[in-house]
Amino acid sequence: MTSYDPKKLKYAESVLPSLSIEEAKKLQFKLVHMMSRYFEGRQFLSLGDLGVSPIFKRPEQTYRVERTIADFFGTEECALVRGAGTGAIRIVLSTLLSAGDKMLIHTAPVYTTTKETIRILGIQTEMVDFNELESVREAVKNTDAKVFYIQHARQQPTDTYKLQEVINAVKSVREDLPIVVDDNYCAFKTHGIGVELGADYSTFSGFKVLGPEGVAIIVGKKAGLETIHERNYSGGGQVQGYEAMELLRMLTFAPVSLAIQNEQVEELCRRLNEGEVQGIRTAYMTNAQSKNVIVELEKPIAQKVISLSDSNGAATHPVGAESKYEIIPMIYRVSGSFIEAQPHLKEYGLRINPMKAGAETIIDILKRVIPAAEQD
């Protein structure tokens, strides 16, 4: 048997530490504890109200869910918004910036929908390498940027920066510079999101943590979030009470479910590197975008493998990257930003996410589809 050491895998330093199942259980218990602060028993068992409550300027149940989530993350305020993760980023940046304003971002391929948000809002960007903390401090010292923007998940496989250290570096130079963190793919998985580590705002999609379609979460400073609430006064633009309640209920199950998934990611990576499936050159873990296994094949047959995986019981495209609909494992192309950084992965690379499956199921599928793709 081949010796396996996860610390020696390709891009090992890039992998974000994940919660253990025991840590995830504590997160679940903490969230339920916060629910009891803001809901009476009968209130929690109602599906939720609609429209703009005269007192709360949004549905009352939505307000209660927002207060629960704000306290859970230890922030001043929370806003549930429409547009999923992309919408949350767009809304918070439009609140903090005007067209022509400058924003500091990482020297790396920008996530596709974030790139479009930057274009739509007319934001000017200045790049700095987040992997070099001294460069970050120098850039912050000499910039007139009005926002520092960080993507928690990796934009490229060579990223090794620690979110906490980057936030500390920025705040050590300019305490007043707002830090916005895109916590998509990391919320309820890692040891803290941006706001828990000192950032001003965190955004992430509720759909990626088992919630309903299109709903997202912004947590952070009261000033910016009050503006978001004021601008979203229209009744039709609200996240309705029943949607907020569905989100909160499903958030309860997200931490443990995601921790089990992480456990299977690590097991799958180990077993593939120990040679259980022929035709694989190497396998390693990345946070691109969610934590998954990247497989590099011995032959340029990735597209054939993906095509054959569909008829062999694997999903070959995401719905929401770990949404409530994603049960069977996903065998898919490597993310666009990773392909941009590593072009050979288009023909040689697979991105595998167990979702709710065990490693055994994925190994069984790969043992069937890789030989078939080689013969095709």
Side-chain angles (χ1 to χ4, degrees):
M1 181 180 292
T2 305
S3 176
Y4 174 74
D5 183 353
K7 294 181 180 179
K8 294 181 180 179
L9 291 179
K10 189 175 183 180
Y11 306 129
E13 292 184 3
S14 180
V15 178
L16 297 172
S18 298
L19 296 174
S20 68
I21 292 176
E22 283 301 314
E23 289 170 328
K25 284 165 58 178
K26 291 178 182 178
L27 215 58
Q28 173 185 314
F29 300 153
K30 177 183 176 182
L31 180 60
V32 176
H33 180 74
M34 296 302 173
M35 293 177 194
S36 292
R37 287 186 176 182
Y38 290 97
F39 290 91
E40 296 176 1
R42 285 174 294 179
Q43 287 175 326
F44 195 84
L45 293 178
S46 68
L47 288 179
D49 55 327
L50 304 169
V52 180
S53 163
I55 298 174
F56 301 103
K57 310 303 180 185
R58 51 195 178 276
E60 180 178 349
Q61 296 289 78
T62 301
Y63 165 81
R64 293 184 185 280
V65 171
E66 289 173 341
R67 289 311 317 156
T68 300
I69 295 172
D71 276 12
F72 175 79
F73 287 115
T75 60
E76 295 175 353
E77 189 58 88
C78 168
L80 301 185
V81 299
R82 297 202 174 278
T86 296
I89 294 167
R90 200 163 289 171
I91 288 167
V92 74
L93 291 183
S94 70
T95 302
L96 299 173
L97 297 166
S98 299
D101 285 346
K102 188 181 293 183
M103 179 171 74
L104 273 167
I105 63 173
H106 182 34
T107 306
V110 180
Y111 189 63
T112 305
T113 57
T114 305
K115 186 185 299 183
E116 187 65 7
T117 290
I118 290 169
R119 184 193 68 80
I120 290 170
L121 297 179
I123 298 169
Q124 302 299 311
T125 58
E126 179 181 334
M127 289 189 165
V128 59
D129 187 352
F130 291 178
N131 299 303
E132 299 292 336
L133 292 179
E134 190 52 47
S135 297
V136 170
R137 283 187 281 266
E138 195 64 23
V140 171
K141 181 180 179 180
N142 295 309
T143 189
D144 58 351
K146 294 186 177 179
V147 164
F148 190 98
Y149 178 85
I150 312 174
Q151 181 176 302
H152 194 160
R154 301 308 190 189
Q155 291 174 244
Q156 55 192 356
T158 53
D159 282 337
T160 57
Y161 63 85
K162 293 179 175 61
L163 181 61
Q164 177 79 79
E165 292 180 355
V166 176
I167 291 171
N168 290 347
V170 173
K171 292 299 186 179
S172 70
V173 179
R174 275 190 59 187
E175 178 66 31
D176 65 308
L177 182 62
I179 298 176
V180 174
V181 180
D182 170 5
D183 277 294
N184 283 296
Y185 310 104
C186 296
F188 293 92
K189 290 183 185 181
T190 58
H191 296 87
I193 63 171
V195 288
E196 294 176 290
L197 304 177
D200 299 275
Y201 300 94
S202 281
T203 68
F204 60 94
S205 170
F207 194 47
K208 290 179 171 62
V209 282
L210 307 182
E213 300 87 334
V215 175
I217 297 168
I218 307 172
V219 285
K221 299 292 187 182
K222 186 175 183 178
L225 287 162
E226 279 188 337
T227 299
I228 290 170
H229 283 307
E230 289 168 2
R231 291 179 178 178
N232 189 35
Y233 184 78
S234 169
Q238 302 296 328
V239 171
Q240 303 298 338
Y242 71 91
E243 296 171 300
M245 291 304 295
E246 181 184 349
L247 171 65
L248 189 60
R249 285 193 299 270
M250 296 310 293
L251 285 182
T252 311
F253 303 102
V256 174
S257 176
L258 293 168
I260 293 171
Q261 178 180 300
N262 173 67
E263 177 186 74
Q264 293 307 301
V265 166
E266 294 178 356
E267 181 180 338
L268 176 65
C269 188
R270 174 184 62 79
R271 293 175 66 175
L272 292 179
N273 279 296
E274 288 176 348
E276 285 200 36
V277 180
Q278 298 300 307
I280 292 175
R281 178 182 296 132
T282 188
Y284 47 92
M285 294 174 285
T286 70
N287 290 89
Q289 293 106 8
S290 52
K291 187 173 179 179
N292 48 54
V293 176
I294 301 295
V295 168
E296 292 193 16
L297 300 165
E298 291 178 349
K299 297 179 181 179
I301 56 172
Q303 302 307 312
K304 292 179 181 177
V305 169
I306 292 168
S307 179
L308 290 168
S309 294
D310 179 67
S311 59
N312 282 271
T316 56
H317 69 274
V319 178
E322 301 160 355
S323 72
K324 61 185 177 182
Y325 302 109
E326 290 165 298
I327 308 297
I328 60 175
M330 183 184 73
I331 299 176
Y332 184 44
R333 65 168 176 79
V334 177
S335 70
S337 58
F338 268 43
I339 290 174
E340 187 176 339
Q342 305 280 334
H344 74 282
L345 292 176
K346 182 176 182 180
E347 299 300 331
Y348 286 89
L350 303 172
R351 178 180 10 164
I352 303 177
N353 191 323
M355 299 301 180
K356 307 305 180 287
E360 187 66 39
T361 299
I362 301 160
I363 288 171
D364 178 64
I365 293 171
L366 292 176
K367 282 181 175 179
R368 284 181 274 131
V369 299
I370 291 177
E374 291 176 334
Q375 295 172 9
D376 191 359

